[in-house]
Short mmCIF file of all heavy atoms in Angstrom, two decimals:
data_model
loop_
_atom_site.label_atom_id
_atom_site.label_comp_id
_atom_site.label_asym_id
_atom_site.label_seq_id
_atom_site.Cartn_x
_atom_site.Cartn_y
_atom_site.Cartn_z
N MET A 969 -36.13 79.46 31.00
CA MET A 969 -36.58 78.40 31.87
C MET A 969 -38.01 78.80 32.46
O MET A 969 -38.27 79.94 32.77
CB MET A 969 -35.70 78.29 33.11
CG MET A 969 -36.17 77.32 34.16
SD MET A 969 -35.04 77.20 35.56
CE MET A 969 -35.36 78.76 36.44
N LYS A 970 -38.90 77.78 32.43
CA LYS A 970 -40.26 78.02 32.93
C LYS A 970 -40.53 77.07 34.01
O LYS A 970 -40.29 75.86 33.89
CB LYS A 970 -41.24 77.80 31.74
CG LYS A 970 -42.67 78.16 32.13
CD LYS A 970 -43.43 78.40 30.94
CE LYS A 970 -44.93 78.56 31.28
NZ LYS A 970 -45.38 79.95 31.14
N ILE A 971 -40.98 77.58 35.15
CA ILE A 971 -41.37 76.77 36.26
C ILE A 971 -42.85 76.89 36.45
O ILE A 971 -43.47 77.94 36.42
CB ILE A 971 -40.67 77.34 37.61
CG1 ILE A 971 -39.13 77.24 37.38
CG2 ILE A 971 -41.09 76.48 38.75
CD1 ILE A 971 -38.35 77.83 38.57
N GLY A 972 -43.52 75.75 36.62
CA GLY A 972 -44.93 75.70 36.73
C GLY A 972 -45.42 76.20 38.08
O GLY A 972 -44.71 76.34 39.01
N LYS A 973 -46.82 76.46 38.09
CA LYS A 973 -47.32 77.11 39.34
C LYS A 973 -47.22 76.14 40.54
O LYS A 973 -47.00 76.68 41.68
CB LYS A 973 -48.78 77.33 39.10
CG LYS A 973 -49.13 78.53 38.24
CD LYS A 973 -50.59 78.87 38.16
CE LYS A 973 -50.84 80.05 37.31
NZ LYS A 973 -52.24 80.43 37.27
N GLU A 974 -47.27 74.89 40.25
CA GLU A 974 -47.07 73.96 41.47
C GLU A 974 -45.78 74.06 42.08
O GLU A 974 -45.63 74.07 43.30
CB GLU A 974 -47.40 72.47 40.94
CG GLU A 974 -47.52 71.54 42.07
CD GLU A 974 -47.91 70.08 41.54
OE1 GLU A 974 -48.91 70.03 40.85
OE2 GLU A 974 -47.11 69.18 41.86
N LYS A 975 -44.73 74.08 41.26
CA LYS A 975 -43.31 74.18 41.78
C LYS A 975 -43.19 75.51 42.39
O LYS A 975 -42.45 75.57 43.46
CB LYS A 975 -42.39 73.96 40.49
CG LYS A 975 -40.89 74.02 40.96
CD LYS A 975 -40.57 72.96 41.93
CE LYS A 975 -39.08 72.93 42.19
NZ LYS A 975 -38.72 71.93 43.21
N LEU A 976 -43.70 76.56 41.86
CA LEU A 976 -43.63 77.89 42.48
C LEU A 976 -44.23 77.99 43.88
O LEU A 976 -43.68 78.40 44.83
CB LEU A 976 -44.25 79.00 41.63
CG LEU A 976 -43.57 79.31 40.33
CD1 LEU A 976 -44.42 80.35 39.51
CD2 LEU A 976 -42.24 79.86 40.58
N GLY A 977 -45.33 77.20 44.00
CA GLY A 977 -46.02 77.10 45.30
C GLY A 977 -45.18 76.31 46.33
O GLY A 977 -45.01 76.74 47.47
N GLU A 978 -44.56 75.24 45.90
CA GLU A 978 -43.65 74.40 46.65
C GLU A 978 -42.43 75.35 47.13
O GLU A 978 -42.08 75.31 48.36
CB GLU A 978 -43.05 73.34 45.93
CG GLU A 978 -44.04 72.20 45.63
CD GLU A 978 -43.41 71.10 44.77
OE1 GLU A 978 -42.24 70.93 44.66
OE2 GLU A 978 -44.33 70.35 44.15
N LEU A 979 -41.83 76.08 46.24
CA LEU A 979 -40.73 76.92 46.64
C LEU A 979 -41.20 77.97 47.58
O LEU A 979 -40.39 78.22 48.59
CB LEU A 979 -40.16 77.66 45.39
CG LEU A 979 -39.38 76.74 44.40
CD1 LEU A 979 -39.09 77.51 43.09
CD2 LEU A 979 -38.13 76.15 45.04
N SER A 980 -42.34 78.60 47.43
CA SER A 980 -42.79 79.70 48.39
C SER A 980 -43.06 79.11 49.78
O SER A 980 -43.01 79.90 50.69
CB SER A 980 -43.99 80.43 47.82
OG SER A 980 -45.12 79.55 47.85
N ARG A 981 -43.22 77.80 49.95
CA ARG A 981 -43.57 77.25 51.22
C ARG A 981 -42.26 76.84 51.99
O ARG A 981 -42.34 76.34 53.11
CB ARG A 981 -44.54 76.08 51.16
CG ARG A 981 -45.94 76.57 50.74
CD ARG A 981 -46.96 75.51 50.75
NE ARG A 981 -46.73 74.52 49.71
CZ ARG A 981 -47.23 74.59 48.49
NH1 ARG A 981 -48.00 75.68 48.13
NH2 ARG A 981 -47.06 73.60 47.63
N LEU A 982 -41.11 76.78 51.34
CA LEU A 982 -39.85 76.38 52.04
C LEU A 982 -39.44 77.41 53.09
O LEU A 982 -39.77 78.55 52.92
CB LEU A 982 -38.67 76.28 50.97
CG LEU A 982 -38.92 75.31 49.85
CD1 LEU A 982 -37.74 75.41 48.84
CD2 LEU A 982 -38.89 73.90 50.40
N ASN A 983 -38.74 76.96 54.12
CA ASN A 983 -38.20 77.94 55.13
C ASN A 983 -37.07 78.70 54.42
O ASN A 983 -36.72 78.41 53.27
CB ASN A 983 -37.82 77.18 56.35
CG ASN A 983 -36.52 76.35 56.10
OD1 ASN A 983 -35.59 76.79 55.58
ND2 ASN A 983 -36.56 75.20 56.78
N ASP A 984 -36.65 79.70 55.08
CA ASP A 984 -35.72 80.64 54.49
C ASP A 984 -34.42 79.91 53.93
O ASP A 984 -33.97 80.09 52.90
CB ASP A 984 -35.29 81.74 55.60
CG ASP A 984 -36.39 82.77 55.75
OD1 ASP A 984 -37.42 82.72 55.06
OD2 ASP A 984 -36.12 83.61 56.61
N ASP A 985 -33.83 79.05 54.82
CA ASP A 985 -32.61 78.45 54.41
C ASP A 985 -32.84 77.47 53.20
O ASP A 985 -31.99 77.50 52.26
CB ASP A 985 -31.96 77.61 55.58
CG ASP A 985 -31.54 78.50 56.68
OD1 ASP A 985 -31.15 79.69 56.42
OD2 ASP A 985 -31.48 77.97 57.85
N GLU A 986 -33.99 76.81 53.18
CA GLU A 986 -34.19 75.87 52.04
C GLU A 986 -34.51 76.63 50.83
O GLU A 986 -34.02 76.25 49.71
CB GLU A 986 -35.45 74.94 52.41
CG GLU A 986 -35.13 73.93 53.49
CD GLU A 986 -36.36 73.29 53.96
OE1 GLU A 986 -37.50 73.81 53.90
OE2 GLU A 986 -36.26 72.07 54.48
N LEU A 987 -35.23 77.79 50.93
CA LEU A 987 -35.57 78.62 49.83
C LEU A 987 -34.26 79.12 49.16
O LEU A 987 -34.13 79.17 48.01
CB LEU A 987 -36.61 79.70 50.15
CG LEU A 987 -36.91 80.67 49.04
CD1 LEU A 987 -37.49 80.03 47.90
CD2 LEU A 987 -37.88 81.76 49.60
N TRP A 988 -33.42 79.67 50.10
CA TRP A 988 -32.21 80.26 49.54
C TRP A 988 -31.38 79.16 48.86
O TRP A 988 -30.68 79.48 47.82
CB TRP A 988 -31.39 80.89 50.67
CG TRP A 988 -30.15 81.66 50.19
CD1 TRP A 988 -28.93 81.46 50.53
CD2 TRP A 988 -30.21 82.74 49.29
NE1 TRP A 988 -28.06 82.27 49.88
CE2 TRP A 988 -28.77 83.10 49.05
CE3 TRP A 988 -31.11 83.44 48.49
CZ2 TRP A 988 -28.38 84.14 48.23
CZ3 TRP A 988 -30.68 84.44 47.70
CH2 TRP A 988 -29.37 84.79 47.54
N LYS A 989 -31.27 77.99 49.48
CA LYS A 989 -30.57 76.84 48.81
C LYS A 989 -31.05 76.60 47.35
O LYS A 989 -30.28 76.40 46.44
CB LYS A 989 -30.64 75.68 49.64
CG LYS A 989 -29.79 74.49 49.13
CD LYS A 989 -29.87 73.27 50.08
CE LYS A 989 -29.08 72.19 49.48
NZ LYS A 989 -29.11 70.97 50.38
N ALA A 990 -32.42 76.64 47.24
CA ALA A 990 -32.97 76.31 45.95
C ALA A 990 -32.69 77.54 44.97
O ALA A 990 -32.41 77.28 43.81
CB ALA A 990 -34.55 76.24 46.09
N ILE A 991 -32.79 78.73 45.47
CA ILE A 991 -32.43 79.86 44.60
C ILE A 991 -31.00 79.77 44.12
O ILE A 991 -30.67 80.08 43.00
CB ILE A 991 -32.75 81.20 45.40
CG1 ILE A 991 -34.26 81.38 45.52
CG2 ILE A 991 -32.06 82.41 44.61
CD1 ILE A 991 -34.59 82.54 46.47
N ARG A 992 -30.07 79.51 45.10
CA ARG A 992 -28.72 79.33 44.75
C ARG A 992 -28.45 78.27 43.67
O ARG A 992 -27.69 78.37 42.73
CB ARG A 992 -27.82 79.02 45.99
CG ARG A 992 -27.74 80.21 46.92
CD ARG A 992 -26.78 79.96 48.07
NE ARG A 992 -25.38 79.90 47.56
CZ ARG A 992 -24.61 78.86 47.77
NH1 ARG A 992 -25.02 77.83 48.44
NH2 ARG A 992 -23.41 78.86 47.27
N GLY A 993 -29.16 77.17 43.82
CA GLY A 993 -29.05 76.09 42.86
C GLY A 993 -29.46 76.48 41.45
O GLY A 993 -28.88 76.23 40.49
N LEU A 994 -30.60 77.26 41.47
CA LEU A 994 -31.11 77.68 40.08
C LEU A 994 -30.20 78.80 39.54
O LEU A 994 -29.87 78.70 38.35
CB LEU A 994 -32.54 78.34 40.30
CG LEU A 994 -33.66 77.32 40.55
CD1 LEU A 994 -34.92 78.10 40.94
CD2 LEU A 994 -34.04 76.55 39.21
N ALA A 995 -29.74 79.64 40.34
CA ALA A 995 -28.81 80.58 39.87
C ALA A 995 -27.56 79.97 39.37
O ALA A 995 -27.08 80.33 38.25
CB ALA A 995 -28.50 81.68 41.06
N GLY A 996 -27.03 79.04 40.16
CA GLY A 996 -25.76 78.35 39.74
C GLY A 996 -25.90 77.52 38.40
O GLY A 996 -24.95 77.51 37.59
N SER A 997 -27.06 77.06 38.15
CA SER A 997 -27.34 76.28 36.95
C SER A 997 -27.34 77.26 35.72
O SER A 997 -27.19 76.80 34.65
CB SER A 997 -28.60 75.50 37.05
OG SER A 997 -29.74 76.34 36.97
N HIS A 998 -27.44 78.51 36.06
CA HIS A 998 -27.41 79.53 34.97
C HIS A 998 -26.14 80.38 34.97
O HIS A 998 -26.09 81.47 34.34
CB HIS A 998 -28.59 80.36 35.02
CG HIS A 998 -29.89 79.62 34.68
ND1 HIS A 998 -30.23 79.28 33.37
CD2 HIS A 998 -30.94 79.09 35.43
CE1 HIS A 998 -31.33 78.56 33.38
NE2 HIS A 998 -31.72 78.43 34.61
N GLY A 999 -25.08 79.91 35.71
CA GLY A 999 -23.89 80.61 35.66
C GLY A 999 -23.63 81.77 36.79
O GLY A 999 -22.68 82.44 36.70
N PHE A 1000 -24.68 81.89 37.65
CA PHE A 1000 -24.54 82.90 38.68
C PHE A 1000 -24.08 82.22 40.00
O PHE A 1000 -24.55 81.22 40.27
CB PHE A 1000 -25.79 83.70 38.92
CG PHE A 1000 -26.28 84.47 37.82
CD1 PHE A 1000 -27.23 83.93 36.80
CD2 PHE A 1000 -25.86 85.75 37.56
CE1 PHE A 1000 -27.71 84.67 35.77
CE2 PHE A 1000 -26.23 86.45 36.54
CZ PHE A 1000 -27.17 85.91 35.55
N LYS A 1001 -23.18 82.91 40.74
CA LYS A 1001 -22.75 82.40 42.02
C LYS A 1001 -23.20 83.35 43.08
O LYS A 1001 -22.90 84.52 43.10
CB LYS A 1001 -21.24 82.25 42.04
CG LYS A 1001 -20.79 81.51 43.38
CD LYS A 1001 -19.27 81.35 43.28
CE LYS A 1001 -18.92 80.64 44.62
NZ LYS A 1001 -17.47 80.46 44.69
N LEU A 1002 -24.13 82.82 44.02
CA LEU A 1002 -24.63 83.66 45.08
C LEU A 1002 -24.00 83.20 46.36
O LEU A 1002 -23.56 81.99 46.52
CB LEU A 1002 -26.14 83.52 45.13
CG LEU A 1002 -26.93 84.01 43.85
CD1 LEU A 1002 -28.41 83.76 44.05
CD2 LEU A 1002 -26.79 85.51 43.72
N PRO A 1003 -23.89 84.12 47.36
CA PRO A 1003 -23.26 83.63 48.58
C PRO A 1003 -24.10 82.63 49.42
O PRO A 1003 -25.28 82.45 49.14
CB PRO A 1003 -23.22 85.04 49.42
CG PRO A 1003 -24.25 85.91 48.78
CD PRO A 1003 -24.30 85.43 47.41
N GLU A 1004 -23.46 81.84 50.15
CA GLU A 1004 -24.12 80.84 50.97
C GLU A 1004 -24.92 81.38 52.05
O GLU A 1004 -26.07 80.76 52.37
CB GLU A 1004 -23.00 79.91 51.61
CG GLU A 1004 -22.39 78.92 50.60
CD GLU A 1004 -21.57 77.89 51.27
OE1 GLU A 1004 -21.85 77.50 52.43
OE2 GLU A 1004 -20.50 77.68 50.73
N ASN A 1005 -24.58 82.43 52.70
CA ASN A 1005 -25.41 83.10 53.75
C ASN A 1005 -26.79 83.42 53.31
O ASN A 1005 -26.96 84.11 52.28
CB ASN A 1005 -24.66 84.28 54.38
CG ASN A 1005 -23.36 83.96 54.96
OD1 ASN A 1005 -23.20 82.77 55.40
ND2 ASN A 1005 -22.51 84.90 55.15
N THR A 1006 -27.70 82.93 54.05
CA THR A 1006 -29.20 83.25 53.75
C THR A 1006 -29.49 84.72 53.95
O THR A 1006 -29.08 85.37 54.94
CB THR A 1006 -30.04 82.44 54.65
OG1 THR A 1006 -29.72 80.93 54.50
CG2 THR A 1006 -31.58 82.58 54.32
N PRO A 1007 -30.06 85.34 52.92
CA PRO A 1007 -30.51 86.73 53.15
C PRO A 1007 -31.50 86.97 54.26
O PRO A 1007 -31.97 86.10 54.77
CB PRO A 1007 -31.13 87.10 51.74
CG PRO A 1007 -30.75 86.03 50.84
CD PRO A 1007 -30.46 84.77 51.71
N GLN A 1008 -31.68 88.30 54.41
CA GLN A 1008 -32.72 88.62 55.54
C GLN A 1008 -34.02 88.13 55.23
O GLN A 1008 -34.42 87.99 54.01
CB GLN A 1008 -32.74 90.18 55.61
CG GLN A 1008 -31.42 90.89 56.07
CD GLN A 1008 -31.70 92.39 56.11
OE1 GLN A 1008 -32.73 92.85 55.85
NE2 GLN A 1008 -30.60 93.05 56.53
N HIS A 1009 -34.80 87.76 56.30
CA HIS A 1009 -36.15 87.20 56.05
C HIS A 1009 -36.98 88.17 55.24
O HIS A 1009 -37.81 87.59 54.39
CB HIS A 1009 -36.75 86.98 57.44
CG HIS A 1009 -38.11 86.43 57.42
ND1 HIS A 1009 -38.47 85.18 57.03
CD2 HIS A 1009 -39.42 87.06 57.66
CE1 HIS A 1009 -39.72 85.00 57.17
NE2 HIS A 1009 -40.27 86.13 57.44
N GLU A 1010 -36.90 89.46 55.39
CA GLU A 1010 -37.80 90.33 54.68
C GLU A 1010 -37.49 90.25 53.18
O GLU A 1010 -38.49 90.33 52.45
CB GLU A 1010 -37.51 91.83 55.15
CG GLU A 1010 -37.81 92.12 56.64
CD GLU A 1010 -36.90 91.61 57.62
OE1 GLU A 1010 -35.66 91.36 57.23
OE2 GLU A 1010 -37.26 91.39 58.74
N ASP A 1011 -36.26 90.11 52.76
CA ASP A 1011 -36.00 89.97 51.33
C ASP A 1011 -36.55 88.68 50.80
O ASP A 1011 -37.11 88.66 49.71
CB ASP A 1011 -34.46 90.02 51.11
CG ASP A 1011 -33.92 91.41 51.31
OD1 ASP A 1011 -34.75 92.42 51.12
OD2 ASP A 1011 -32.72 91.56 51.66
N LEU A 1012 -36.47 87.55 51.59
CA LEU A 1012 -37.04 86.30 51.16
C LEU A 1012 -38.58 86.31 51.09
O LEU A 1012 -39.14 85.66 50.26
CB LEU A 1012 -36.45 85.23 51.94
CG LEU A 1012 -35.01 84.92 51.69
CD1 LEU A 1012 -34.50 83.78 52.61
CD2 LEU A 1012 -34.76 84.49 50.21
N GLU A 1013 -39.16 87.15 52.00
CA GLU A 1013 -40.58 87.29 51.92
C GLU A 1013 -41.06 87.95 50.60
O GLU A 1013 -42.07 87.64 50.00
CB GLU A 1013 -41.08 88.04 53.08
CG GLU A 1013 -41.25 87.26 54.45
CD GLU A 1013 -42.20 86.09 54.25
OE1 GLU A 1013 -43.26 86.28 53.87
OE2 GLU A 1013 -41.66 84.95 54.46
N LYS A 1014 -40.26 88.83 50.09
CA LYS A 1014 -40.52 89.53 48.84
C LYS A 1014 -40.47 88.46 47.69
O LYS A 1014 -41.26 88.45 46.80
CB LYS A 1014 -39.46 90.62 48.53
CG LYS A 1014 -39.67 91.82 49.37
CD LYS A 1014 -38.57 92.90 49.05
CE LYS A 1014 -38.58 94.05 50.03
NZ LYS A 1014 -37.48 94.96 49.78
N VAL A 1015 -39.46 87.56 47.81
CA VAL A 1015 -39.31 86.50 46.83
C VAL A 1015 -40.51 85.59 46.90
O VAL A 1015 -41.16 85.21 45.87
CB VAL A 1015 -38.00 85.69 47.04
CG1 VAL A 1015 -37.96 84.48 46.09
CG2 VAL A 1015 -36.84 86.51 46.82
N ARG A 1016 -40.96 85.27 48.12
CA ARG A 1016 -42.14 84.39 48.31
C ARG A 1016 -43.41 84.98 47.64
O ARG A 1016 -44.25 84.38 47.00
CB ARG A 1016 -42.45 84.03 49.75
CG ARG A 1016 -41.48 83.02 50.34
CD ARG A 1016 -41.83 82.65 51.76
NE ARG A 1016 -40.84 81.77 52.27
CZ ARG A 1016 -39.78 82.07 52.94
NH1 ARG A 1016 -39.57 83.42 53.14
NH2 ARG A 1016 -39.00 81.25 53.36
N LYS A 1017 -43.65 86.35 47.95
CA LYS A 1017 -44.75 87.07 47.36
C LYS A 1017 -44.72 87.00 45.83
O LYS A 1017 -45.66 86.91 45.14
CB LYS A 1017 -44.82 88.48 47.84
CG LYS A 1017 -45.24 88.49 49.34
CD LYS A 1017 -45.39 89.98 49.74
CE LYS A 1017 -45.76 89.98 51.25
NZ LYS A 1017 -45.82 91.38 51.76
N ALA A 1018 -43.49 87.20 45.23
CA ALA A 1018 -43.36 87.10 43.78
C ALA A 1018 -43.64 85.75 43.28
O ALA A 1018 -44.34 85.57 42.26
CB ALA A 1018 -41.99 87.51 43.42
N LEU A 1019 -43.24 84.70 43.94
CA LEU A 1019 -43.47 83.31 43.55
C LEU A 1019 -44.98 83.02 43.56
O LEU A 1019 -45.35 82.27 42.73
CB LEU A 1019 -42.72 82.39 44.50
CG LEU A 1019 -41.21 82.37 44.42
CD1 LEU A 1019 -40.62 81.45 45.46
CD2 LEU A 1019 -40.74 81.81 43.01
N SER A 1020 -45.64 83.54 44.53
CA SER A 1020 -47.05 83.24 44.73
C SER A 1020 -47.91 84.12 43.86
O SER A 1020 -49.16 84.00 43.77
CB SER A 1020 -47.43 83.39 46.17
OG SER A 1020 -47.42 84.74 46.62
N GLY A 1021 -47.33 85.14 43.25
CA GLY A 1021 -48.14 86.06 42.38
C GLY A 1021 -48.70 87.25 43.13
O GLY A 1021 -49.35 88.08 42.53
N ASP A 1022 -48.36 87.36 44.43
CA ASP A 1022 -48.89 88.51 45.15
C ASP A 1022 -48.13 89.74 45.03
O ASP A 1022 -48.50 90.81 45.45
CB ASP A 1022 -48.96 88.09 46.64
CG ASP A 1022 -49.95 86.99 46.98
OD1 ASP A 1022 -50.90 86.92 46.28
OD2 ASP A 1022 -49.74 86.40 48.08
N LEU A 1023 -46.96 89.65 44.38
CA LEU A 1023 -46.15 90.83 44.14
C LEU A 1023 -45.61 90.75 42.80
O LEU A 1023 -45.07 89.73 42.28
CB LEU A 1023 -44.96 90.77 45.13
CG LEU A 1023 -43.87 91.81 44.95
CD1 LEU A 1023 -44.34 93.25 45.35
CD2 LEU A 1023 -42.58 91.48 45.74
N LYS A 1024 -45.84 91.85 41.97
CA LYS A 1024 -45.22 91.91 40.71
C LYS A 1024 -43.83 92.39 40.67
O LYS A 1024 -43.63 93.54 41.20
CB LYS A 1024 -46.19 92.77 39.76
CG LYS A 1024 -47.60 92.29 39.66
CD LYS A 1024 -47.61 90.85 38.97
CE LYS A 1024 -49.07 90.40 38.91
NZ LYS A 1024 -49.13 88.99 38.76
N LEU A 1025 -42.96 91.61 40.32
CA LEU A 1025 -41.53 91.93 40.38
C LEU A 1025 -41.08 92.16 38.92
O LEU A 1025 -41.19 91.32 38.10
CB LEU A 1025 -40.77 90.78 41.02
CG LEU A 1025 -39.35 91.08 41.53
CD1 LEU A 1025 -39.41 91.95 42.70
CD2 LEU A 1025 -38.71 89.73 42.03
N THR A 1026 -40.58 93.34 38.75
CA THR A 1026 -40.04 93.66 37.40
C THR A 1026 -38.73 93.03 37.23
O THR A 1026 -38.00 92.63 38.18
CB THR A 1026 -39.93 95.25 37.15
OG1 THR A 1026 -38.96 95.66 38.03
CG2 THR A 1026 -41.27 95.92 37.33
N MET A 1027 -38.25 92.92 35.98
CA MET A 1027 -36.94 92.42 35.76
C MET A 1027 -35.89 93.22 36.46
O MET A 1027 -34.97 92.64 37.03
CB MET A 1027 -36.66 92.23 34.26
CG MET A 1027 -35.39 91.68 33.92
SD MET A 1027 -35.20 89.92 34.59
CE MET A 1027 -36.11 89.10 33.28
N SER A 1028 -36.02 94.48 36.45
CA SER A 1028 -34.98 95.42 37.06
C SER A 1028 -35.04 95.27 38.63
O SER A 1028 -34.04 95.15 39.25
CB SER A 1028 -35.25 96.90 36.69
OG SER A 1028 -36.43 97.30 37.18
N ASP A 1029 -36.19 95.00 39.19
CA ASP A 1029 -36.30 94.69 40.63
C ASP A 1029 -35.57 93.37 40.98
O ASP A 1029 -34.85 93.27 41.91
CB ASP A 1029 -37.76 94.63 41.04
CG ASP A 1029 -38.48 95.88 41.10
OD1 ASP A 1029 -37.77 96.95 41.11
OD2 ASP A 1029 -39.71 95.93 40.97
N ALA A 1030 -35.81 92.37 40.13
CA ALA A 1030 -35.25 91.03 40.28
C ALA A 1030 -33.71 91.16 40.17
O ALA A 1030 -33.00 90.54 41.04
CB ALA A 1030 -35.81 90.03 39.29
N LEU A 1031 -33.19 91.86 39.21
CA LEU A 1031 -31.78 92.03 39.10
C LEU A 1031 -31.13 92.83 40.18
O LEU A 1031 -30.06 92.48 40.61
CB LEU A 1031 -31.47 92.75 37.71
CG LEU A 1031 -31.71 91.84 36.46
CD1 LEU A 1031 -31.56 92.75 35.18
CD2 LEU A 1031 -30.71 90.74 36.44
N ARG A 1032 -31.88 93.77 40.64
CA ARG A 1032 -31.35 94.59 41.83
C ARG A 1032 -31.23 93.72 43.08
O ARG A 1032 -30.22 93.76 43.75
CB ARG A 1032 -32.34 95.76 42.11
CG ARG A 1032 -31.79 96.82 43.00
CD ARG A 1032 -32.68 98.03 43.15
NE ARG A 1032 -33.08 98.57 41.77
CZ ARG A 1032 -34.32 98.62 41.36
NH1 ARG A 1032 -35.33 98.20 42.08
NH2 ARG A 1032 -34.63 99.11 40.22
N LEU A 1033 -32.26 92.88 43.30
CA LEU A 1033 -32.19 91.95 44.44
C LEU A 1033 -31.07 90.99 44.25
O LEU A 1033 -30.30 90.69 45.27
CB LEU A 1033 -33.46 91.15 44.56
CG LEU A 1033 -34.44 91.49 45.68
CD1 LEU A 1033 -35.78 90.71 45.60
CD2 LEU A 1033 -33.87 91.42 47.04
N MET A 1034 -30.88 90.37 43.11
CA MET A 1034 -29.86 89.49 42.90
C MET A 1034 -28.47 90.14 42.99
O MET A 1034 -27.55 89.52 43.65
CB MET A 1034 -30.00 88.77 41.52
CG MET A 1034 -29.17 87.55 41.33
SD MET A 1034 -29.73 86.64 39.95
CE MET A 1034 -28.46 87.19 38.76
N ASN A 1035 -28.30 91.27 42.49
CA ASN A 1035 -27.05 91.99 42.56
C ASN A 1035 -26.67 92.35 44.01
O ASN A 1035 -25.58 92.35 44.39
CB ASN A 1035 -26.99 93.19 41.74
CG ASN A 1035 -26.87 92.89 40.31
OD1 ASN A 1035 -26.14 91.93 39.91
ND2 ASN A 1035 -27.47 93.72 39.37
N LYS A 1036 -27.74 92.60 44.86
CA LYS A 1036 -27.53 92.91 46.25
C LYS A 1036 -26.77 91.73 46.90
O LYS A 1036 -25.92 91.97 47.80
CB LYS A 1036 -28.78 93.21 46.93
CG LYS A 1036 -28.74 93.49 48.35
CD LYS A 1036 -30.09 93.85 48.98
CE LYS A 1036 -29.99 94.06 50.42
NZ LYS A 1036 -31.34 94.35 51.02
N TYR A 1037 -27.14 90.48 46.55
CA TYR A 1037 -26.68 89.28 47.19
C TYR A 1037 -25.48 88.61 46.53
O TYR A 1037 -24.66 87.95 47.14
CB TYR A 1037 -27.72 88.33 47.53
CG TYR A 1037 -28.54 88.84 48.67
CD1 TYR A 1037 -29.81 89.50 48.32
CD2 TYR A 1037 -28.13 88.87 49.97
CE1 TYR A 1037 -30.55 90.04 49.35
CE2 TYR A 1037 -28.91 89.41 50.91
CZ TYR A 1037 -30.10 89.94 50.60
OH TYR A 1037 -30.81 90.61 51.65
N LYS A 1038 -25.29 88.87 45.20
CA LYS A 1038 -24.12 88.18 44.59
C LYS A 1038 -22.82 88.88 44.85
O LYS A 1038 -21.80 88.28 44.84
CB LYS A 1038 -24.43 88.01 43.05
CG LYS A 1038 -24.17 89.18 42.22
CD LYS A 1038 -24.37 88.77 40.77
CE LYS A 1038 -24.07 89.93 39.87
NZ LYS A 1038 -24.31 89.71 38.51
N GLY A 1039 -22.85 90.25 44.99
CA GLY A 1039 -21.59 90.97 45.37
C GLY A 1039 -20.45 90.55 44.58
O GLY A 1039 -20.55 90.57 43.32
N ASP A 1040 -19.52 90.16 45.13
CA ASP A 1040 -18.10 89.76 44.42
C ASP A 1040 -18.15 88.26 44.31
O ASP A 1040 -17.07 87.77 43.93
CB ASP A 1040 -16.97 90.17 45.30
CG ASP A 1040 -16.92 91.71 45.31
OD1 ASP A 1040 -17.16 92.36 44.42
OD2 ASP A 1040 -16.34 92.16 46.40
N ASN A 1041 -19.20 87.53 44.33
CA ASN A 1041 -19.26 86.12 44.17
C ASN A 1041 -19.40 85.63 42.72
O ASN A 1041 -20.05 84.61 42.48
CB ASN A 1041 -20.30 85.51 45.05
CG ASN A 1041 -20.00 85.75 46.50
OD1 ASN A 1041 -19.02 85.42 47.03
ND2 ASN A 1041 -20.93 86.41 47.20
N ARG A 1042 -19.11 86.44 41.71
CA ARG A 1042 -19.29 86.11 40.32
C ARG A 1042 -18.57 84.89 39.90
O ARG A 1042 -17.52 84.61 40.04
CB ARG A 1042 -19.00 87.34 39.45
CG ARG A 1042 -19.96 88.44 39.71
CD ARG A 1042 -19.70 89.55 38.83
NE ARG A 1042 -20.20 90.76 39.39
CZ ARG A 1042 -20.22 91.87 38.95
NH1 ARG A 1042 -19.75 92.05 37.66
NH2 ARG A 1042 -20.63 92.90 39.56
#
């Protein structure tokens, strides 16, 4: 899946709850189930930085973050 820069910018400007809802929706469309509770603001700030290109997130970093929140919700 490829998301354009404009959409990434839109996502990075969402508040924490809206951003998490969008992430859950994307994850769910690919077979992942994430918890409803919004993660800590600091973690979502990392996601925003990655979306805006200010933070280079490796695939292992992304998986680690996702695994932190998916827990037993597979």
